[in-house]
Every structure is written in C-alpha cells, then in structure tokens.
C-alpha cells in the first residue's frame, strides 16, 4: 500500500511539474503546420505539456513561434520581438532565436520554416530537453536533393517496347501503399531531401485524360481512379514535407492506344516532330501540371528524338509551353522544377 501511495505521489509530482509549451504556427502553411506537428510530437514524447495555437499571447509558459519571413502571420506574431532577418535570404534557409521565454523559428520560405522546426526537433531528440538559449542559422548548399524511384521493370511488358510501363497495381503494387509512402517521405524529409524522382517512359496516359484525345488513356477506369487517388495523396504529402514530386519521361513517346489510333509507333527515333505529336504532348503536360500539386518534370530528350536541333525545338516549343499552359490554367506564376537530363543531347546549348 505504501508503495502504491509513493508511486502515485511520484506520478503526481511528475505531471504537476511538466513544463508547459505553446507551439504557435501558421495554419495556412502546410509545411509550417507539418513542422509544428513533428515538434509537438517530440516535445510530448519527452514529457512536456504541449498546446497548439495560431496566435501569440504573452505567457509565463515557454512559447515557440514558427513562421515564414514576410508573411502576415509572421508580422503579427513576431512584432513584439527584436529580430534582424536582413541576412535571412538563402532559399530554404532559417534562423532560430531565443528571446526571454520565446523561441522564434523563422524561415526564408515555407521549406526553410519547416527545416527550422525540424532542426529544433532534432536537438530535443538528441538532448531530451528544450534548449535554453538557442541562436543559430542555416541553409542547404545544394539546390535539389532527392531520390529516384524507377517506375520501370528489368523486362519488357508483353506487346510493348522499352520504357513503356503504364501505372497499374499489377505492375507496381507497392506504388499504391500509402503507409509505405508516408514512411518513405518521412525518411526523405529527415534527411532534408526536397525532391522525389519517378522514372517512367510516358506516365501521362496513366494520370490524365484529355478531351481532345480521350482514347489515349492506357489504363482501365478502375486503375485510373486508383492512380488519381495515390498520385494526389503522394503530391499533397510530399508538399507538406517540402518535397517536389518530379516526374521523369522520355521523348518522343506516346501511349499505345494513341499510337494505334493514328497507326504510328509509340516511339520512333527517325520520325520528325509533327503538329500532332507536339499538340498531344503539350496538352498532356499542361493537364498534368494543372491537376497535381507540387509537381515538376525531368525531361530526357535523347532516347527517342533524332537530332540535337529537334531536342531544342521539342524542349522550347512543346514541353516548356505545356508547363506554362498548366500554370496559366491554375492561375499561378511560380514555375515548377524542369530538369533536363543531358543524356544523348547537348546540354551546353541550353
């Protein structure tokens, strides 16, 4: 009985003396919100009593403010602090400052805000306590940091040529595993990677439908719905973690149903660029950019285009205009990453 009373007393004292921390973050920023959630989870696991808020209020408790430089949120919630952020200019950069009982985490942009929150999270995990006087700044040195996943097979699919692998549960069953994606994306952001490359020949006919070319889709309606669901899930979850989903594709490749409709080959290195091929590809890219958030493109020109001159024409008059068409449809101006793979082309010309 005395043992139980002593145990109860110890638990009571432990909970009664748990340090209260209020984590203030911008609810309109997916990356700030994600960083705040990870930070709160770690604080709670270390025994802190954590509350979340979107407004700064003076308190005797410890406060952590997480926000992006220049935003209305940051101006409102850091106005009482004396913060010099004139040197906070590098992309994905952040600074963490301690003033009295408040820790301010300020990012140059949304990703910098996330990385600042994760930096403090890592320090708490390592030490088991909240740093009392933390004043640091940091930013990545490499512009793009990522991992590549091959949406391809070591063998050809029946009736298809090299690079031609539609997105289906039969061919890529792991692709539809949401729990696996969360685990993988968490690994990427823990290592501060900001891009994920999906490597495929012609992915668009598995992901978008075009009213001008309804016959071009090369997966069943059921599989198309699954592809929409998992791709939107992937891009939304990646965006929270500051990760661009970058879809790689070869040129010039069209879907098998498209090729059969027009009685052409899916890929033919000797064929010239035609208005039909350009229009189909441009519209496919535009629909892809418009439909899925936080996506970019990795372009391999050399595999199925005959000359370097054709490479230049295709890239500048089909691919880039397709991206801009998609952005215009979205009403956005920030261009996503467009990465040129210089294999079998002359990258110096760009």
């Amino acid at each position: 009985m005395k043992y139980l009373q002593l145990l109860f007393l110890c638990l009571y004292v432990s909970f009664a003396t748990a340090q209260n921390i209020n984590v203030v973050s911008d609810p309109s920023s997916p990356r700030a919100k994600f960083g705040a959630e990870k930070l709160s989870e770690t604080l709670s696991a270390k025994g802190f009593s954590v509350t979340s808020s979107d407004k700064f209020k003076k308190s005797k408790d410890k406060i952590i403010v997480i926000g992006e430089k220049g935003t209305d949120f940051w101006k409102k919630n850091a106005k009482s602090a004396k913060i010099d952020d004139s040197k906070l200019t590098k992309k994905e950069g952040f600074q963490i400052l301690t003033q009295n009982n408040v820790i301010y985490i300020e990012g140059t942009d949304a990703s910098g805000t996330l990385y600042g929150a994760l930096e403090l999270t890592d320090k708490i995990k390592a030490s088991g306590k909240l740093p009392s006087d933390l004043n640091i700044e940091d930013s990545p040195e490499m512009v793009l940091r990522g991992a590549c996943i091959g949406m391809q097979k070591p063998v050809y699919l029946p009736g298809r040529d090299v690079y031609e692998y539609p997105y289906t549960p039969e061919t890529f069953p792991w692709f539809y595993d949401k729990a696996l994606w969360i685990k993988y994306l968490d690994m990427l952001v823990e290592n501060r990677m900001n891009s994920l490359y999906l490597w495929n020949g012609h992915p668009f006919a598995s992901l978008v439908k075009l009213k001008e070319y309804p016959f071009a889709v090369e997966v069943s309606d059921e599989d198309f719905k699954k592809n929409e669901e998992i791709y939107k899930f992937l891009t939304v979850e990646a965006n929270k973690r500051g990760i661009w989903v970058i879809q790689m594709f070869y040129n010039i490749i069209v879907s098998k149903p498209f090729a059969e409709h027009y009685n052409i080959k899916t890929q033919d290195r000797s064929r010239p660029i035609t208005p039909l091929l350009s229009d189909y590809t441009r519209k496919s890219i535009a629909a892809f950019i418009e439909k899925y958030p936080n996506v970019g493109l990795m372009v391999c020109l050399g595999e199925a285009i005959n000359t370097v001159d054709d490479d230049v024409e295709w890239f500048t008059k089909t691919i880039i205009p397709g991206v801009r068409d998609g952005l215009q449809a979205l009403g956005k101006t920030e261009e996503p990453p467009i990465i040129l793979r210089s294999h079998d082309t002359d990258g110096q010309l760009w």
Side-chain angles (χ1 to χ4, degrees):
M1 185 66 180
K2 291 183 178 179
Y3 172 77
L4 291 176
Q5 289 176 337
L6 181 61
L7 178 61
F8 175 79
L9 178 62
C10 290
L11 289 172
Y12 175 79
V13 171
S14 176
F15 283 117
T17 59
Q19 185 176 5
N20 297 323
I21 299 178
N22 185 20
V23 178
V24 183
S25 63
D26 187 350
S28 67
S29 170
R31 297 177 194 178
K33 185 178 179 181
F34 180 83
E37 289 172 353
K38 290 297 182 183
L39 177 57
S40 297
E41 289 172 7
T42 298
L43 286 167
S44 296
K46 296 298 182 181
F48 294 93
S49 177
V50 183
T51 58
S52 299
S53 174
D54 59 358
K55 293 181 181 179
F56 174 88
K57 293 182 180 180
K58 288 185 178 180
S59 171
K60 294 180 180 180
D61 297 330
K62 198 75 174 180
I63 302 171
I64 302 173
V65 181
I66 305 170
E68 180 180 342
K69 176 182 177 180
T71 61
D72 289 340
F73 170 87
W74 185 255
K75 292 176 182 177
K76 291 177 182 178
N77 289 280
K79 63 182 180 182
S80 61
K82 296 179 180 180
I83 298 176
D84 179 9
D85 55 12
S86 59
K87 295 181 180 180
L88 189 62
T89 58
K90 293 183 180 180
K91 189 175 181 180
E92 299 180 317
F94 65 87
Q95 62 180 9
I96 304 176
L97 305 172
T98 305
Q99 294 187 9
N100 299 320
N101 68 325
V102 185
I103 297 177
Y104 293 94
I105 301 175
E106 181 182 13
T108 307
D109 48 29
S111 289
T113 305
L114 167 63
Y115 290 166
L118 295 179
E119 179 68 20
L120 181 56
T121 301
D122 289 345
K123 290 187 178 299
I124 295 169
K125 285 181 179 179
S127 66
K129 60 183 180 180
L130 189 66
S132 58
D133 188 19
L134 188 61
N135 293 278
I136 60 173
E137 61 180 59
D138 201 0
S139 60
E141 294 185 7
M142 296 181 66
V143 175
L144 286 173
R145 311 168 301 279
C148 172
I149 294 180
M151 298 295 292
Q152 299 186 125
K153 294 284 187 179
V155 295
Y156 292 2
L157 295 181
R160 293 185 177 274
D161 207 339
V162 63
Y163 312 127
E164 297 176 14
Y165 300 93
Y167 290 3
T168 67
E170 292 75 26
T171 306
F172 306 107
W174 52 266
F175 183 66
Y176 303 86
D177 188 336
K178 292 182 179 180
L180 180 62
W181 275 123
I182 291 296
K183 184 177 180 180
Y184 191 76
L185 292 172
D186 281 347
M187 180 276 294
L188 293 181
V189 73
E190 284 171 8
N191 288 280
R192 307 302 188 266
M193 294 190 182
N194 65 358
S195 50
L196 170 65
Y197 303 83
L198 301 181
W199 204 278
N200 189 262
H202 183 71
F204 307 112
S206 296
L207 299 170
V208 297
K209 292 181 179 179
L210 307 176
K211 62 180 181 179
E212 298 88 351
Y213 306 100
F215 46 81
V217 178
E218 55 183 351
V219 296
S220 67
D221 288 344
E222 182 182 358
D223 286 348
F224 188 84
K225 289 180 181 179
K226 291 179 180 179
N227 290 344
E228 283 184 314
E229 180 185 358
I230 194 63
Y231 215 92
K232 287 180 179 178
F233 171 84
L234 173 59
T235 51
V236 167
E237 290 297 327
N239 181 42
K240 293 178 185 178
R241 296 161 175 80
I243 298 168
W244 286 97
V245 176
I246 298 179
Q247 182 64 66
M248 181 271 179
F249 63 106
Y250 288 101
N251 296 273
I252 303 172
I253 299 180
V254 298
S255 73
K256 187 176 181 181
F258 181 95
E260 291 172 347
H261 182 86
Y262 289 104
N263 195 30
I264 61 175
K265 295 180 180 180
T266 54
Q267 50 186 298
D268 183 355
R269 192 176 178 91
S270 64
R271 70 184 171 197
I273 296 172
T274 67
L276 174 65
L277 294 173
S278 181
D279 185 67
Y280 167 67
T281 304
R282 178 171 176 171
K283 284 184 168 62
S284 296
I285 291 171
F288 175 75
I289 295 295
E290 181 182 359
K291 185 174 184 179
Y292 297 104
N294 209 58
V295 294
L297 297 172
M298 182 172 183
V299 184
C300 183
L301 294 169
E303 294 291 347
I305 296 183
N306 192 23
T307 68
V308 171
D309 289 340
D310 282 349
D311 291 352
V312 175
E313 178 181 343
W314 188 251
F315 191 70
T316 58
K317 296 183 179 180
T318 295
I319 293 172
I320 293 178
V323 172
R324 290 175 176 167
D325 289 345
L327 291 175
Q328 184 176 8
L330 285 172
K332 293 185 177 182
T333 56
E334 180 190 4
E335 293 191 354
I338 307 176
I339 302 167
L340 173 65
R341 184 186 180 216
S342 61
H343 169 69
D344 201 25
T345 192
D346 189 350
Q348 297 300 318
L349 293 178
W350 311 88

